[in-house]
Amino acid sequence: MEMLLAILLWLGCITAPNTYYQPQIDSYANQNQEVINGVMASPTQQEFVWSQYGAATENVQVIDPYK
């Protein structure tokens, strides 16, 4: 989940600090699935995104409204 949040921060879909509901995160992920898959398939790209946005993921709260 943290890597997904880092990618969404990198893409500008979400901001930190902020709070999101799980369906919002799912929607952003679905809209950007091709880019997310590309990053996840490339260790070099993952390292870049994580180095830039990994620490910010701690400031993003995701609430599951179904729990």
Side-chain angles (χ1 to χ4, degrees), residues 35-48:
V35 175
I36 292 167
N37 289 346
V39 172
M40 296 302 272
S42 170
T44 303
Q45 190 68 29
Q46 283 185 46
E47 186 178 321
F48 171 77

PDB file of all heavy atoms in Angstrom, residues 35-48:
ATOM      1  N   VAL A  35       0.299   3.354 -15.636  1.00  0.00           N
ATOM      2  CA  VAL A  35       1.504   3.982 -15.086  1.00  0.00           C
ATOM      3  C   VAL A  35       1.965   3.233 -13.840  1.00  0.00           C
ATOM      4  O   VAL A  35       3.165   2.976 -13.663  1.00  0.00           O
ATOM      5  CB  VAL A  35       1.253   5.468 -14.757  1.00  0.00           C
ATOM      6  CG1 VAL A  35       2.460   6.087 -14.069  1.00  0.00           C
ATOM      7  CG2 VAL A  35       0.905   6.235 -16.013  1.00  0.00           C
ATOM      8  N   ILE A  36       1.031   2.865 -12.982  1.00  0.00           N
ATOM      9  CA  ILE A  36       1.365   2.128 -11.757  1.00  0.00           C
ATOM     10  C   ILE A  36       2.040   0.810 -12.108  1.00  0.00           C
ATOM     11  O   ILE A  36       3.070   0.452 -11.530  1.00  0.00           O
ATOM     12  CB  ILE A  36       0.107   1.911 -10.886  1.00  0.00           C
ATOM     13  CG1 ILE A  36      -0.374   3.260 -10.335  1.00  0.00           C
ATOM     14  CG2 ILE A  36       0.371   0.909  -9.778  1.00  0.00           C
ATOM     15  CD1 ILE A  36      -1.757   3.228  -9.732  1.00  0.00           C
ATOM     16  N   ASN A  37       1.485   0.094 -13.092  1.00  0.00           N
ATOM     17  CA  ASN A  37       2.082  -1.178 -13.511  1.00  0.00           C
ATOM     18  C   ASN A  37       3.498  -0.964 -14.033  1.00  0.00           C
ATOM     19  O   ASN A  37       4.393  -1.765 -13.760  1.00  0.00           O
ATOM     20  CB  ASN A  37       1.225  -1.850 -14.580  1.00  0.00           C
ATOM     21  CG  ASN A  37      -0.075  -2.394 -14.028  1.00  0.00           C
ATOM     22  OD1 ASN A  37      -0.266  -2.526 -12.831  1.00  0.00           O
ATOM     23  ND2 ASN A  37      -1.002  -2.693 -14.926  1.00  0.00           N
ATOM     24  N   GLY A  38       3.704   0.123 -14.780  1.00  0.00           N
ATOM     25  CA  GLY A  38       5.036   0.425 -15.301  1.00  0.00           C
ATOM     26  C   GLY A  38       6.044   0.676 -14.198  1.00  0.00           C
ATOM     27  O   GLY A  38       7.170   0.169 -14.250  1.00  0.00           O
ATOM     28  N   VAL A  39       5.644   1.432 -13.195  1.00  0.00           N
ATOM     29  CA  VAL A  39       6.540   1.706 -12.069  1.00  0.00           C
ATOM     30  C   VAL A  39       6.818   0.423 -11.297  1.00  0.00           C
ATOM     31  O   VAL A  39       7.967   0.131 -10.940  1.00  0.00           O
ATOM     32  CB  VAL A  39       5.954   2.788 -11.139  1.00  0.00           C
ATOM     33  CG1 VAL A  39       6.788   2.928  -9.868  1.00  0.00           C
ATOM     34  CG2 VAL A  39       5.855   4.124 -11.864  1.00  0.00           C
ATOM     35  N   MET A  40       5.778  -0.365 -11.055  1.00  0.00           N
ATOM     36  CA  MET A  40       5.945  -1.595 -10.278  1.00  0.00           C
ATOM     37  C   MET A  40       6.826  -2.612 -11.005  1.00  0.00           C
ATOM     38  O   MET A  40       7.473  -3.431 -10.367  1.00  0.00           O
ATOM     39  CB  MET A  40       4.584  -2.213  -9.952  1.00  0.00           C
ATOM     40  CG  MET A  40       3.721  -1.326  -9.056  1.00  0.00           C
ATOM     41  SD  MET A  40       4.495  -0.919  -7.492  1.00  0.00           S
ATOM     42  CE  MET A  40       3.954  -2.295  -6.512  1.00  0.00           C
ATOM     43  N   ALA A  41       6.880  -2.530 -12.322  1.00  0.00           N
ATOM     44  CA  ALA A  41       7.692  -3.460 -13.108  1.00  0.00           C
ATOM     45  C   ALA A  41       9.153  -3.021 -13.207  1.00  0.00           C
ATOM     46  O   ALA A  41       9.991  -3.773 -13.689  1.00  0.00           O
ATOM     47  CB  ALA A  41       7.104  -3.609 -14.513  1.00  0.00           C
ATOM     48  N   SER A  42       9.463  -1.823 -12.737  1.00  0.00           N
ATOM     49  CA  SER A  42      10.814  -1.290 -12.865  1.00  0.00           C
ATOM     50  C   SER A  42      11.408  -0.969 -11.494  1.00  0.00           C
ATOM     51  O   SER A  42      11.045   0.039 -10.873  1.00  0.00           O
ATOM     52  CB  SER A  42      10.790  -0.010 -13.705  1.00  0.00           C
ATOM     53  OG  SER A  42      12.034   0.649 -13.645  1.00  0.00           O
ATOM     54  N   PRO A  43      12.319  -1.801 -11.013  1.00  0.00           N
ATOM     55  CA  PRO A  43      12.957  -1.513  -9.719  1.00  0.00           C
ATOM     56  C   PRO A  43      13.618  -0.131  -9.680  1.00  0.00           C
ATOM     57  O   PRO A  43      13.584   0.543  -8.654  1.00  0.00           O
ATOM     58  CB  PRO A  43      13.991  -2.631  -9.569  1.00  0.00           C
ATOM     59  CG  PRO A  43      13.450  -3.753 -10.400  1.00  0.00           C
ATOM     60  CD  PRO A  43      12.768  -3.085 -11.569  1.00  0.00           C
ATOM     61  N   THR A  44      14.189   0.299 -10.787  1.00  0.00           N
ATOM     62  CA  THR A  44      14.833   1.616 -10.836  1.00  0.00           C
ATOM     63  C   THR A  44      13.801   2.717 -10.639  1.00  0.00           C
ATOM     64  O   THR A  44      14.023   3.674  -9.884  1.00  0.00           O
ATOM     65  CB  THR A  44      15.561   1.808 -12.187  1.00  0.00           C
ATOM     66  OG1 THR A  44      16.502   0.758 -12.344  1.00  0.00           O
ATOM     67  CG2 THR A  44      16.263   3.147 -12.241  1.00  0.00           C
ATOM     68  N   GLN A  45      12.669   2.595 -11.313  1.00  0.00           N
ATOM     69  CA  GLN A  45      11.609   3.598 -11.181  1.00  0.00           C
ATOM     70  C   GLN A  45      11.017   3.563  -9.779  1.00  0.00           C
ATOM     71  O   GLN A  45      10.723   4.611  -9.195  1.00  0.00           O
ATOM     72  CB  GLN A  45      10.515   3.363 -12.231  1.00  0.00           C
ATOM     73  CG  GLN A  45       9.502   4.480 -12.314  1.00  0.00           C
ATOM     74  CD  GLN A  45      10.089   5.769 -12.869  1.00  0.00           C
ATOM     75  OE1 GLN A  45      11.024   5.743 -13.658  1.00  0.00           O
ATOM     76  NE2 GLN A  45       9.554   6.885 -12.469  1.00  0.00           N
ATOM     77  N   GLN A  46      10.831   2.371  -9.222  1.00  0.00           N
ATOM     78  CA  GLN A  46      10.332   2.252  -7.841  1.00  0.00           C
ATOM     79  C   GLN A  46      11.271   2.978  -6.878  1.00  0.00           C
ATOM     80  O   GLN A  46      10.817   3.696  -5.992  1.00  0.00           O
ATOM     81  CB  GLN A  46      10.230   0.787  -7.430  1.00  0.00           C
ATOM     82  CG  GLN A  46       9.041   0.071  -7.992  1.00  0.00           C
ATOM     83  CD  GLN A  46       8.953  -1.336  -7.446  1.00  0.00           C
ATOM     84  OE1 GLN A  46       9.095  -1.545  -6.237  1.00  0.00           O
ATOM     85  NE2 GLN A  46       8.732  -2.297  -8.317  1.00  0.00           N
ATOM     86  N   GLU A  47      12.557   2.758  -7.050  1.00  0.00           N
ATOM     87  CA  GLU A  47      13.546   3.388  -6.164  1.00  0.00           C
ATOM     88  C   GLU A  47      13.463   4.907  -6.258  1.00  0.00           C
ATOM     89  O   GLU A  47      13.516   5.609  -5.246  1.00  0.00           O
ATOM     90  CB  GLU A  47      14.944   2.905  -6.526  1.00  0.00           C
ATOM     91  CG  GLU A  47      16.015   3.391  -5.594  1.00  0.00           C
ATOM     92  CD  GLU A  47      17.387   2.851  -5.949  1.00  0.00           C
ATOM     93  OE1 GLU A  47      17.484   1.670  -6.339  1.00  0.00           O
ATOM     94  OE2 GLU A  47      18.352   3.627  -5.841  1.00  0.00           O
ATOM     95  N   PHE A  48      13.316   5.434  -7.482  1.00  0.00           N
ATOM     96  CA  PHE A  48      13.209   6.878  -7.679  1.00  0.00           C
ATOM     97  C   PHE A  48      11.965   7.427  -6.982  1.00  0.00           C
ATOM     98  O   PHE A  48      12.040   8.399  -6.220  1.00  0.00           O
ATOM     99  CB  PHE A  48      13.168   7.217  -9.167  1.00  0.00           C
ATOM    100  CG  PHE A  48      12.834   8.666  -9.413  1.00  0.00           C
ATOM    101  CD1 PHE A  48      13.793   9.657  -9.244  1.00  0.00           C
ATOM    102  CD2 PHE A  48      11.548   9.043  -9.775  1.00  0.00           C
ATOM    103  CE1 PHE A  48      13.475  10.995  -9.439  1.00  0.00           C
ATOM    104  CE2 PHE A  48      11.224  10.377  -9.973  1.00  0.00           C
ATOM    105  CZ  PHE A  48      12.184  11.353  -9.804  1.00  0.00           C
TER     106      PHE A  48
END
